[in-house]
Amino acid sequence: VFLDQTQLCKTAYLHNSLDPVWDEIFSIPVCHHANSIKVKVLDREHIGAELVGTILISTDDIVGGEPVEGWWDLMVSNGGTTQGAVHIMFQLFPVGSLSQGKILNDAYFEPREGSAV
């Protein structure tokens, strides 16, 4: 899972599954401006991994603070071809909804003095 180009987390590797179910929960506090959340699905090989597909979700579409759940198609090419889908649940909280103001002390990115984010 990526926030723009920064990798935030990685799921466990599932051995030889054509119908994988990760059922993992991540809590990743970030207080950082981003344009998208990207999920990459890889097929692990003996050496390296092959990209199966990518999901790209605009943060503008999901920043309302409500839980988001659904199936997203895996894009396998820039032309929009899809192959399979991934079920994802997540929730983003706008910075104004934080009870501590605009500081998130346990965030993935370190707070910086004078930051407008």
Side-chain angles (χ1 to χ4, degrees):
V1 176
F2 294 79
L3 188 62
D4 283 338
Q5 298 301 314
T6 303
Q7 183 173 351
L8 298 178
C9 63
K10 188 186 250 188
T11 64
Y13 163 69
L14 299 178
H15 185 70
N16 289 336
S17 177
L18 294 176
D19 190 20
V21 176
W22 285 273
D23 199 23
E24 294 181 319
I25 298 172
F26 299 96
S27 177
I28 308 166
V30 292
C31 189
H32 182 77
H33 181 271
N35 294 316
S36 64
I37 294 174
K38 179 169 49 173
V39 177
K40 289 171 52 174
V41 177
L42 302 171
D43 181 15
R44 188 168 167 184
E45 302 294 335
H46 293 290
I47 299 175
E50 181 181 342
L51 180 66
V52 174
T54 303
I55 299 165
L56 194 60
I57 304 167
S58 171
T59 53
D60 290 337
D61 297 339
I62 57 176
V63 77
E66 294 297 318
V68 176
E69 177 179 2
W71 287 92
W72 276 268
D73 291 332
L74 283 170
M75 303 285 285
V76 295
S77 71
N78 289 337
T81 305
T82 62
Q83 174 180 312
V86 175
H87 185 255
I88 303 173
M89 296 184 309
F90 58 92
Q91 187 170 11
L92 296 181
F93 297 98
V95 71
S97 71
L98 298 174
S99 61
Q100 303 168 1
K102 291 189 176 184
I103 300 294
L104 187 58
N105 292 319
D106 59 346
Y108 183 86
F109 299 100
E110 294 283 326
R112 288 185 276 173
E113 193 69 33
S115 175
V117 177

